[in-house]
Amino acid sequence: ARIQSPGGPIRSPGPDTEVFKGDILRIVSESEHKAGIVAFFGKEALGVDLQIQHSPIHSETVLVTDPKVNGLKISDLHLSHYDGLNITRLFRAGMELFPYRSIHLQLGDRLRVVGPERAIMRFTARVGNQSHKLDHPNIISIFVGIALGILAGVLPIAIPGIPVPVKLGLAGGPLIVAILLGRYGPNLRLATYTTNSASLMLRELGIAFFLASVGLAAGDGFLQAFVSGEGFAYMALGLCITMLPLLIVGYVARRFFSLNYLSIVGMMAGTTTDPPALAYAATLSEKNSSAVAYSTVYPLAMFLRILTGQALLLIFWAEL
């Protein structure tokens, strides 16, 4: 997001900037678009880096903390009013996003801005950049999301052809609501930002309660399963049923789709609807790529589990 004419200073381009033959451009884009951009403009200027050369153009990272900016699109900021200032990166929840014009800003977003120093100062005052305002978690959003998630989980969903209504459960309901709030919350100007410490505390409490409920439900017949001699057979069958599909999926994802390790771990945790596996994946890196992969496949896997169970019951009932 910088331009230099032959013999001229380095500038930050705006929507009205004209490009002439001989100009050198620094363009920020996704890697797969590089070849098309180079072919469109001419050729790559090797050995020239407008970022490290001395110029009046500065680059800073600012933090979105003003509630009035929460939910606004980048186009609503009218960057043309800031003397050629551009946003080149958007960092959210450990991920690096490309800041297109229609993306909604959220509290806690970090923006990499490039432009004249005075324009950056004006823009910083516009978005806030006061980290102490993010020290307090948004308790209302958290509990509203939990309440709506529980309500969505216990509501029966009637599907034609299945005699018993389907329920998302206490795991699926909050997840679906959280995904919807993450997608449409900024449109409603809802502040969904949660401090990192509060998020980690909720995750650990959720995992602890989940494991405790599973243990309390299975503990009654656990010892009897081993005493009767069937426990080790069940463990062996469970190991085969669990490991073989995961190994196949992991190999295919890495070999043919070139997914990274964190995404593969999150995807496999989602396909097995296994929150403890997701908790382990979260300890491998500060980035949330595993959580994104988990939330992408978890709803489909959960629906397939419910529908498959219902379909098997109908098949067995028809045979009887």
Side-chain angles (χ1 to χ4, degrees), residues 196-232:
N196 188 48
S197 57
S199 177
L200 291 176
M201 183 190 69
L202 290 175
R203 292 181 189 180
E204 294 299 326
L205 283 176
I207 293 298
F209 288 148
F210 173 80
L211 295 177
S213 63
V214 171
L216 291 173
D220 186 26
F222 182 78
L223 182 60
Q224 183 63 30
F226 283 94
V227 174
S228 63
E230 298 177 352
F232 291 101

PDB file of all heavy atoms in Angstrom, residues 196-232:
ATOM      1  N   ASN A 196      -8.730 -12.212  27.253  1.00  0.00           N
ATOM      2  CA  ASN A 196      -8.106 -13.523  27.115  1.00  0.00           C
ATOM      3  C   ASN A 196      -8.183 -14.326  28.407  1.00  0.00           C
ATOM      4  O   ASN A 196      -8.435 -15.541  28.395  1.00  0.00           O
ATOM      5  CB  ASN A 196      -6.638 -13.345  26.702  1.00  0.00           C
ATOM      6  CG  ASN A 196      -5.971 -14.654  26.352  1.00  0.00           C
ATOM      7  OD1 ASN A 196      -6.509 -15.457  25.601  1.00  0.00           O
ATOM      8  ND2 ASN A 196      -4.788 -14.884  26.897  1.00  0.00           N
ATOM      9  N   SER A 197      -8.001 -13.667  29.544  1.00  0.00           N
ATOM     10  CA  SER A 197      -8.053 -14.382  30.814  1.00  0.00           C
ATOM     11  C   SER A 197      -9.464 -14.921  31.093  1.00  0.00           C
ATOM     12  O   SER A 197      -9.626 -16.056  31.544  1.00  0.00           O
ATOM     13  CB  SER A 197      -7.624 -13.453  31.958  1.00  0.00           C
ATOM     14  OG  SER A 197      -8.437 -12.292  32.006  1.00  0.00           O
ATOM     15  N   ALA A 198     -10.494 -14.103  30.815  1.00  0.00           N
ATOM     16  CA  ALA A 198     -11.865 -14.568  31.019  1.00  0.00           C
ATOM     17  C   ALA A 198     -12.210 -15.705  30.069  1.00  0.00           C
ATOM     18  O   ALA A 198     -12.887 -16.668  30.450  1.00  0.00           O
ATOM     19  CB  ALA A 198     -12.845 -13.412  30.833  1.00  0.00           C
ATOM     20  N   SER A 199     -11.738 -15.622  28.831  1.00  0.00           N
ATOM     21  CA  SER A 199     -11.998 -16.690  27.868  1.00  0.00           C
ATOM     22  C   SER A 199     -11.353 -18.003  28.310  1.00  0.00           C
ATOM     23  O   SER A 199     -11.975 -19.071  28.250  1.00  0.00           O
ATOM     24  CB  SER A 199     -11.477 -16.286  26.484  1.00  0.00           C
ATOM     25  OG  SER A 199     -11.650 -17.325  25.552  1.00  0.00           O
ATOM     26  N   LEU A 200     -10.101 -17.931  28.774  1.00  0.00           N
ATOM     27  CA  LEU A 200      -9.422 -19.141  29.239  1.00  0.00           C
ATOM     28  C   LEU A 200     -10.114 -19.733  30.461  1.00  0.00           C
ATOM     29  O   LEU A 200     -10.227 -20.954  30.599  1.00  0.00           O
ATOM     30  CB  LEU A 200      -7.957 -18.820  29.549  1.00  0.00           C
ATOM     31  CG  LEU A 200      -7.067 -18.494  28.352  1.00  0.00           C
ATOM     32  CD1 LEU A 200      -5.675 -18.094  28.819  1.00  0.00           C
ATOM     33  CD2 LEU A 200      -6.978 -19.684  27.398  1.00  0.00           C
ATOM     34  N   MET A 201     -10.581 -18.863  31.373  1.00  0.00           N
ATOM     35  CA  MET A 201     -11.265 -19.364  32.559  1.00  0.00           C
ATOM     36  C   MET A 201     -12.547 -20.095  32.181  1.00  0.00           C
ATOM     37  O   MET A 201     -12.843 -21.182  32.694  1.00  0.00           O
ATOM     38  CB  MET A 201     -11.588 -18.206  33.503  1.00  0.00           C
ATOM     39  CG  MET A 201     -12.237 -18.647  34.810  1.00  0.00           C
ATOM     40  SD  MET A 201     -12.861 -17.274  35.793  1.00  0.00           S
ATOM     41  CE  MET A 201     -14.231 -16.727  34.765  1.00  0.00           C
ATOM     42  N   LEU A 202     -13.333 -19.508  31.263  1.00  0.00           N
ATOM     43  CA  LEU A 202     -14.568 -20.154  30.838  1.00  0.00           C
ATOM     44  C   LEU A 202     -14.291 -21.472  30.138  1.00  0.00           C
ATOM     45  O   LEU A 202     -15.031 -22.458  30.303  1.00  0.00           O
ATOM     46  CB  LEU A 202     -15.353 -19.215  29.922  1.00  0.00           C
ATOM     47  CG  LEU A 202     -15.964 -17.978  30.582  1.00  0.00           C
ATOM     48  CD1 LEU A 202     -16.593 -17.074  29.542  1.00  0.00           C
ATOM     49  CD2 LEU A 202     -17.008 -18.393  31.612  1.00  0.00           C
ATOM     50  N   ARG A 203     -13.232 -21.516  29.335  1.00  0.00           N
ATOM     51  CA  ARG A 203     -12.891 -22.763  28.644  1.00  0.00           C
ATOM     52  C   ARG A 203     -12.541 -23.857  29.644  1.00  0.00           C
ATOM     53  O   ARG A 203     -13.018 -24.994  29.540  1.00  0.00           O
ATOM     54  CB  ARG A 203     -11.709 -22.528  27.692  1.00  0.00           C
ATOM     55  CG  ARG A 203     -12.016 -21.649  26.507  1.00  0.00           C
ATOM     56  CD  ARG A 203     -10.788 -21.511  25.617  1.00  0.00           C
ATOM     57  NE  ARG A 203     -10.971 -20.520  24.571  1.00  0.00           N
ATOM     58  CZ  ARG A 203     -10.052 -20.219  23.672  1.00  0.00           C
ATOM     59  NH1 ARG A 203      -8.872 -20.833  23.696  1.00  0.00           N
ATOM     60  NH2 ARG A 203     -10.286 -19.309  22.752  1.00  0.00           N
ATOM     61  N   GLU A 204     -11.700 -23.524  30.609  1.00  0.00           N
ATOM     62  CA  GLU A 204     -11.269 -24.531  31.578  1.00  0.00           C
ATOM     63  C   GLU A 204     -12.438 -25.006  32.436  1.00  0.00           C
ATOM     64  O   GLU A 204     -12.572 -26.201  32.728  1.00  0.00           O
ATOM     65  CB  GLU A 204     -10.155 -23.958  32.467  1.00  0.00           C
ATOM     66  CG  GLU A 204      -8.866 -23.644  31.724  1.00  0.00           C
ATOM     67  CD  GLU A 204      -8.259 -24.881  31.078  1.00  0.00           C
ATOM     68  OE1 GLU A 204      -8.375 -25.977  31.656  1.00  0.00           O
ATOM     69  OE2 GLU A 204      -7.677 -24.754  29.990  1.00  0.00           O
ATOM     70  N   LEU A 205     -13.298 -24.081  32.850  1.00  0.00           N
ATOM     71  CA  LEU A 205     -14.468 -24.471  33.625  1.00  0.00           C
ATOM     72  C   LEU A 205     -15.400 -25.352  32.807  1.00  0.00           C
ATOM     73  O   LEU A 205     -15.948 -26.347  33.309  1.00  0.00           O
ATOM     74  CB  LEU A 205     -15.220 -23.223  34.101  1.00  0.00           C
ATOM     75  CG  LEU A 205     -14.624 -22.468  35.290  1.00  0.00           C
ATOM     76  CD1 LEU A 205     -15.438 -21.214  35.578  1.00  0.00           C
ATOM     77  CD2 LEU A 205     -14.558 -23.353  36.529  1.00  0.00           C
ATOM     78  N   GLY A 206     -15.589 -24.997  31.528  1.00  0.00           N
ATOM     79  CA  GLY A 206     -16.457 -25.797  30.670  1.00  0.00           C
ATOM     80  C   GLY A 206     -15.937 -27.212  30.486  1.00  0.00           C
ATOM     81  O   GLY A 206     -16.700 -28.184  30.570  1.00  0.00           O
ATOM     82  N   ILE A 207     -14.629 -27.334  30.244  1.00  0.00           N
ATOM     83  CA  ILE A 207     -14.043 -28.658  30.074  1.00  0.00           C
ATOM     84  C   ILE A 207     -14.133 -29.464  31.374  1.00  0.00           C
ATOM     85  O   ILE A 207     -14.446 -30.670  31.367  1.00  0.00           O
ATOM     86  CB  ILE A 207     -12.573 -28.536  29.617  1.00  0.00           C
ATOM     87  CG1 ILE A 207     -12.508 -27.945  28.204  1.00  0.00           C
ATOM     88  CG2 ILE A 207     -11.883 -29.885  29.647  1.00  0.00           C
ATOM     89  CD1 ILE A 207     -13.172 -28.790  27.154  1.00  0.00           C
ATOM     90  N   ALA A 208     -13.881 -28.804  32.504  1.00  0.00           N
ATOM     91  CA  ALA A 208     -13.947 -29.510  33.786  1.00  0.00           C
ATOM     92  C   ALA A 208     -15.364 -30.013  34.077  1.00  0.00           C
ATOM     93  O   ALA A 208     -15.558 -31.160  34.489  1.00  0.00           O
ATOM     94  CB  ALA A 208     -13.479 -28.579  34.908  1.00  0.00           C
ATOM     95  N   PHE A 209     -16.374 -29.160  33.839  1.00  0.00           N
ATOM     96  CA  PHE A 209     -17.759 -29.581  34.063  1.00  0.00           C
ATOM     97  C   PHE A 209     -18.160 -30.692  33.095  1.00  0.00           C
ATOM     98  O   PHE A 209     -18.897 -31.621  33.465  1.00  0.00           O
ATOM     99  CB  PHE A 209     -18.707 -28.391  33.913  1.00  0.00           C
ATOM    100  CG  PHE A 209     -18.616 -27.413  35.049  1.00  0.00           C
ATOM    101  CD1 PHE A 209     -18.834 -26.061  34.844  1.00  0.00           C
ATOM    102  CD2 PHE A 209     -18.307 -27.834  36.336  1.00  0.00           C
ATOM    103  CE1 PHE A 209     -18.761 -25.160  35.881  1.00  0.00           C
ATOM    104  CE2 PHE A 209     -18.222 -26.947  37.384  1.00  0.00           C
ATOM    105  CZ  PHE A 209     -18.444 -25.599  37.160  1.00  0.00           C
ATOM    106  N   PHE A 210     -17.694 -30.591  31.852  1.00  0.00           N
ATOM    107  CA  PHE A 210     -18.019 -31.628  30.865  1.00  0.00           C
ATOM    108  C   PHE A 210     -17.450 -32.981  31.288  1.00  0.00           C
ATOM    109  O   PHE A 210     -18.158 -33.999  31.290  1.00  0.00           O
ATOM    110  CB  PHE A 210     -17.473 -31.217  29.493  1.00  0.00           C
ATOM    111  CG  PHE A 210     -17.617 -32.283  28.448  1.00  0.00           C
ATOM    112  CD1 PHE A 210     -18.820 -32.484  27.800  1.00  0.00           C
ATOM    113  CD2 PHE A 210     -16.534 -33.089  28.108  1.00  0.00           C
ATOM    114  CE1 PHE A 210     -18.957 -33.471  26.833  1.00  0.00           C
ATOM    115  CE2 PHE A 210     -16.659 -34.073  27.144  1.00  0.00           C
ATOM    116  CZ  PHE A 210     -17.874 -34.264  26.501  1.00  0.00           C
ATOM    117  N   LEU A 211     -16.174 -32.991  31.644  1.00  0.00           N
ATOM    118  CA  LEU A 211     -15.547 -34.257  32.057  1.00  0.00           C
ATOM    119  C   LEU A 211     -16.173 -34.785  33.341  1.00  0.00           C
ATOM    120  O   LEU A 211     -16.335 -36.007  33.507  1.00  0.00           O
ATOM    121  CB  LEU A 211     -14.044 -34.053  32.233  1.00  0.00           C
ATOM    122  CG  LEU A 211     -13.261 -33.705  30.959  1.00  0.00           C
ATOM    123  CD1 LEU A 211     -11.798 -33.463  31.283  1.00  0.00           C
ATOM    124  CD2 LEU A 211     -13.386 -34.819  29.926  1.00  0.00           C
ATOM    125  N   ALA A 212     -16.525 -33.888  34.250  1.00  0.00           N
ATOM    126  CA  ALA A 212     -17.154 -34.332  35.492  1.00  0.00           C
ATOM    127  C   ALA A 212     -18.506 -34.977  35.221  1.00  0.00           C
ATOM    128  O   ALA A 212     -18.849 -36.024  35.803  1.00  0.00           O
ATOM    129  CB  ALA A 212     -17.311 -33.156  36.445  1.00  0.00           C
ATOM    130  N   SER A 213     -19.298 -34.378  34.325  1.00  0.00           N
ATOM    131  CA  SER A 213     -20.608 -34.957  34.010  1.00  0.00           C
ATOM    132  C   SER A 213     -20.475 -36.304  33.321  1.00  0.00           C
ATOM    133  O   SER A 213     -21.238 -37.238  33.603  1.00  0.00           O
ATOM    134  CB  SER A 213     -21.410 -33.986  33.131  1.00  0.00           C
ATOM    135  OG  SER A 213     -20.756 -33.786  31.884  1.00  0.00           O
ATOM    136  N   VAL A 214     -19.481 -36.436  32.423  1.00  0.00           N
ATOM    137  CA  VAL A 214     -19.262 -37.720  31.759  1.00  0.00           C
ATOM    138  C   VAL A 214     -18.833 -38.775  32.769  1.00  0.00           C
ATOM    139  O   VAL A 214     -19.308 -39.924  32.748  1.00  0.00           O
ATOM    140  CB  VAL A 214     -18.215 -37.573  30.634  1.00  0.00           C
ATOM    141  CG1 VAL A 214     -17.823 -38.932  30.078  1.00  0.00           C
ATOM    142  CG2 VAL A 214     -18.750 -36.683  29.528  1.00  0.00           C
ATOM    143  N   GLY A 215     -17.931 -38.412  33.674  1.00  0.00           N
ATOM    144  CA  GLY A 215     -17.465 -39.366  34.679  1.00  0.00           C
ATOM    145  C   GLY A 215     -18.568 -39.801  35.629  1.00  0.00           C
ATOM    146  O   GLY A 215     -18.689 -40.986  35.968  1.00  0.00           O
ATOM    147  N   LEU A 216     -19.408 -38.859  36.049  1.00  0.00           N
ATOM    148  CA  LEU A 216     -20.503 -39.210  36.948  1.00  0.00           C
ATOM    149  C   LEU A 216     -21.522 -40.117  36.273  1.00  0.00           C
ATOM    150  O   LEU A 216     -22.103 -41.009  36.904  1.00  0.00           O
ATOM    151  CB  LEU A 216     -21.193 -37.934  37.451  1.00  0.00           C
ATOM    152  CG  LEU A 216     -20.372 -37.054  38.404  1.00  0.00           C
ATOM    153  CD1 LEU A 216     -21.101 -35.752  38.683  1.00  0.00           C
ATOM    154  CD2 LEU A 216     -20.077 -37.790  39.701  1.00  0.00           C
ATOM    155  N   ALA A 217     -21.735 -39.907  34.968  1.00  0.00           N
ATOM    156  CA  ALA A 217     -22.706 -40.730  34.253  1.00  0.00           C
ATOM    157  C   ALA A 217     -22.177 -42.135  33.981  1.00  0.00           C
ATOM    158  O   ALA A 217     -22.929 -43.107  33.981  1.00  0.00           O
ATOM    159  CB  ALA A 217     -23.099 -40.055  32.944  1.00  0.00           C
ATOM    160  N   ALA A 218     -20.867 -42.258  33.745  1.00  0.00           N
ATOM    161  CA  ALA A 218     -20.301 -43.550  33.376  1.00  0.00           C
ATOM    162  C   ALA A 218     -19.699 -44.304  34.555  1.00  0.00           C
ATOM    163  O   ALA A 218     -19.389 -45.497  34.431  1.00  0.00           O
ATOM    164  CB  ALA A 218     -19.224 -43.359  32.305  1.00  0.00           C
ATOM    165  N   GLY A 219     -19.547 -43.665  35.683  1.00  0.00           N
ATOM    166  CA  GLY A 219     -18.857 -44.300  36.804  1.00  0.00           C
ATOM    167  C   GLY A 219     -19.604 -45.456  37.427  1.00  0.00           C
ATOM    168  O   GLY A 219     -18.995 -46.375  37.988  1.00  0.00           O
ATOM    169  N   ASP A 220     -20.940 -45.456  37.332  1.00  0.00           N
ATOM    170  CA  ASP A 220     -21.728 -46.491  37.997  1.00  0.00           C
ATOM    171  C   ASP A 220     -21.413 -47.880  37.456  1.00  0.00           C
ATOM    172  O   ASP A 220     -21.243 -48.834  38.217  1.00  0.00           O
ATOM    173  CB  ASP A 220     -23.212 -46.168  37.836  1.00  0.00           C
ATOM    174  CG  ASP A 220     -24.089 -47.124  38.631  1.00  0.00           C
ATOM    175  OD1 ASP A 220     -23.593 -47.672  39.629  1.00  0.00           O
ATOM    176  OD2 ASP A 220     -25.257 -47.305  38.251  1.00  0.00           O
ATOM    177  N   GLY A 221     -21.318 -48.015  36.130  1.00  0.00           N
ATOM    178  CA  GLY A 221     -21.068 -49.336  35.552  1.00  0.00           C
ATOM    179  C   GLY A 221     -19.653 -49.550  35.083  1.00  0.00           C
ATOM    180  O   GLY A 221     -19.372 -50.544  34.389  1.00  0.00           O
ATOM    181  N   PHE A 222     -18.737 -48.625  35.440  1.00  0.00           N
ATOM    182  CA  PHE A 222     -17.361 -48.730  34.938  1.00  0.00           C
ATOM    183  C   PHE A 222     -16.659 -49.968  35.494  1.00  0.00           C
ATOM    184  O   PHE A 222     -16.078 -50.755  34.743  1.00  0.00           O
ATOM    185  CB  PHE A 222     -16.594 -47.461  35.315  1.00  0.00           C
ATOM    186  CG  PHE A 222     -15.183 -47.434  34.803  1.00  0.00           C
ATOM    187  CD1 PHE A 222     -14.920 -47.126  33.485  1.00  0.00           C
ATOM    188  CD2 PHE A 222     -14.120 -47.722  35.649  1.00  0.00           C
ATOM    189  CE1 PHE A 222     -13.617 -47.096  33.013  1.00  0.00           C
ATOM    190  CE2 PHE A 222     -12.818 -47.697  35.184  1.00  0.00           C
ATOM    191  CZ  PHE A 222     -12.567 -47.385  33.861  1.00  0.00           C
ATOM    192  N   LEU A 223     -16.696 -50.131  36.798  1.00  0.00           N
ATOM    193  CA  LEU A 223     -16.013 -51.263  37.406  1.00  0.00           C
ATOM    194  C   LEU A 223     -16.633 -52.591  36.980  1.00  0.00           C
ATOM    195  O   LEU A 223     -15.927 -53.565  36.713  1.00  0.00           O
ATOM    196  CB  LEU A 223     -16.047 -51.131  38.933  1.00  0.00           C
ATOM    197  CG  LEU A 223     -15.328 -52.224  39.723  1.00  0.00           C
ATOM    198  CD1 LEU A 223     -13.848 -52.269  39.354  1.00  0.00           C
ATOM    199  CD2 LEU A 223     -15.504 -52.000  41.220  1.00  0.00           C
ATOM    200  N   GLN A 224     -17.957 -52.635  36.879  1.00  0.00           N
ATOM    201  CA  GLN A 224     -18.633 -53.870  36.499  1.00  0.00           C
ATOM    202  C   GLN A 224     -18.254 -54.294  35.086  1.00  0.00           C
ATOM    203  O   GLN A 224     -18.187 -55.497  34.782  1.00  0.00           O
ATOM    204  CB  GLN A 224     -20.153 -53.673  36.603  1.00  0.00           C
ATOM    205  CG  GLN A 224     -20.969 -54.910  36.293  1.00  0.00           C
ATOM    206  CD  GLN A 224     -20.696 -56.040  37.278  1.00  0.00           C
ATOM    207  OE1 GLN A 224     -20.377 -55.775  38.442  1.00  0.00           O
ATOM    208  NE2 GLN A 224     -20.828 -57.276  36.827  1.00  0.00           N
ATOM    209  N   ALA A 225     -18.005 -53.325  34.199  1.00  0.00           N
ATOM    210  CA  ALA A 225     -17.625 -53.661  32.825  1.00  0.00           C
ATOM    211  C   ALA A 225     -16.304 -54.407  32.785  1.00  0.00           C
ATOM    212  O   ALA A 225     -16.114 -55.314  31.967  1.00  0.00           O
ATOM    213  CB  ALA A 225     -17.540 -52.388  31.987  1.00  0.00           C
ATOM    214  N   PHE A 226     -15.369 -54.072  33.675  1.00  0.00           N
ATOM    215  CA  PHE A 226     -14.094 -54.787  33.706  1.00  0.00           C
ATOM    216  C   PHE A 226     -14.206 -56.108  34.456  1.00  0.00           C
ATOM    217  O   PHE A 226     -13.573 -57.095  34.083  1.00  0.00           O
ATOM    218  CB  PHE A 226     -13.022 -53.896  34.362  1.00  0.00           C
ATOM    219  CG  PHE A 226     -12.512 -52.827  33.450  1.00  0.00           C
ATOM    220  CD1 PHE A 226     -13.080 -51.557  33.465  1.00  0.00           C
ATOM    221  CD2 PHE A 226     -11.477 -53.070  32.579  1.00  0.00           C
ATOM    222  CE1 PHE A 226     -12.610 -50.564  32.631  1.00  0.00           C
ATOM    223  CE2 PHE A 226     -10.996 -52.075  31.735  1.00  0.00           C
ATOM    224  CZ  PHE A 226     -11.563 -50.826  31.761  1.00  0.00           C
ATOM    225  N   VAL A 227     -14.998 -56.129  35.502  1.00  0.00           N
ATOM    226  CA  VAL A 227     -15.148 -57.370  36.266  1.00  0.00           C
ATOM    227  C   VAL A 227     -15.806 -58.455  35.429  1.00  0.00           C
ATOM    228  O   VAL A 227     -15.437 -59.635  35.494  1.00  0.00           O
ATOM    229  CB  VAL A 227     -15.960 -57.094  37.553  1.00  0.00           C
ATOM    230  CG1 VAL A 227     -16.270 -58.408  38.293  1.00  0.00           C
ATOM    231  CG2 VAL A 227     -15.191 -56.153  38.463  1.00  0.00           C
ATOM    232  N   SER A 228     -16.771 -58.062  34.583  1.00  0.00           N
ATOM    233  CA  SER A 228     -17.473 -59.043  33.763  1.00  0.00           C
ATOM    234  C   SER A 228     -16.629 -59.562  32.608  1.00  0.00           C
ATOM    235  O   SER A 228     -17.029 -60.498  31.925  1.00  0.00           O
ATOM    236  CB  SER A 228     -18.766 -58.424  33.218  1.00  0.00           C
ATOM    237  OG  SER A 228     -18.471 -57.326  32.371  1.00  0.00           O
ATOM    238  N   GLY A 229     -15.496 -58.953  32.355  1.00  0.00           N
ATOM    239  CA  GLY A 229     -14.606 -59.428  31.301  1.00  0.00           C
ATOM    240  C   GLY A 229     -14.825 -58.783  29.952  1.00  0.00           C
ATOM    241  O   GLY A 229     -14.118 -59.102  28.999  1.00  0.00           O
ATOM    242  N   GLU A 230     -15.786 -57.864  29.822  1.00  0.00           N
ATOM    243  CA  GLU A 230     -16.072 -57.244  28.540  1.00  0.00           C
ATOM    244  C   GLU A 230     -15.409 -55.867  28.395  1.00  0.00           C
ATOM    245  O   GLU A 230     -15.413 -55.303  27.308  1.00  0.00           O
ATOM    246  CB  GLU A 230     -17.579 -57.092  28.366  1.00  0.00           C
ATOM    247  CG  GLU A 230     -18.333 -58.411  28.350  1.00  0.00           C
ATOM    248  CD  GLU A 230     -19.830 -58.200  28.243  1.00  0.00           C
ATOM    249  OE1 GLU A 230     -20.257 -57.021  28.333  1.00  0.00           O
ATOM    250  OE2 GLU A 230     -20.567 -59.187  28.057  1.00  0.00           O
ATOM    251  N   GLY A 231     -14.875 -55.350  29.480  1.00  0.00           N
ATOM    252  CA  GLY A 231     -14.324 -54.009  29.437  1.00  0.00           C
ATOM    253  C   GLY A 231     -13.158 -53.854  28.481  1.00  0.00           C
ATOM    254  O   GLY A 231     -13.104 -52.900  27.690  1.00  0.00           O
ATOM    255  N   PHE A 232     -12.200 -54.812  28.486  1.00  0.00           N
ATOM    256  CA  PHE A 232     -11.039 -54.704  27.609  1.00  0.00           C
ATOM    257  C   PHE A 232     -11.438 -54.868  26.141  1.00  0.00           C
ATOM    258  O   PHE A 232     -10.854 -54.238  25.255  1.00  0.00           O
ATOM    259  CB  PHE A 232      -9.998 -55.756  28.003  1.00  0.00           C
ATOM    260  CG  PHE A 232      -9.360 -55.492  29.335  1.00  0.00           C
ATOM    261  CD1 PHE A 232      -9.755 -56.177  30.465  1.00  0.00           C
ATOM    262  CD2 PHE A 232      -8.370 -54.518  29.451  1.00  0.00           C
ATOM    263  CE1 PHE A 232      -9.172 -55.919  31.693  1.00  0.00           C
ATOM    264  CE2 PHE A 232      -7.778 -54.251  30.679  1.00  0.00           C
ATOM    265  CZ  PHE A 232      -8.182 -54.952  31.809  1.00  0.00           C
TER     266      PHE A 232
END
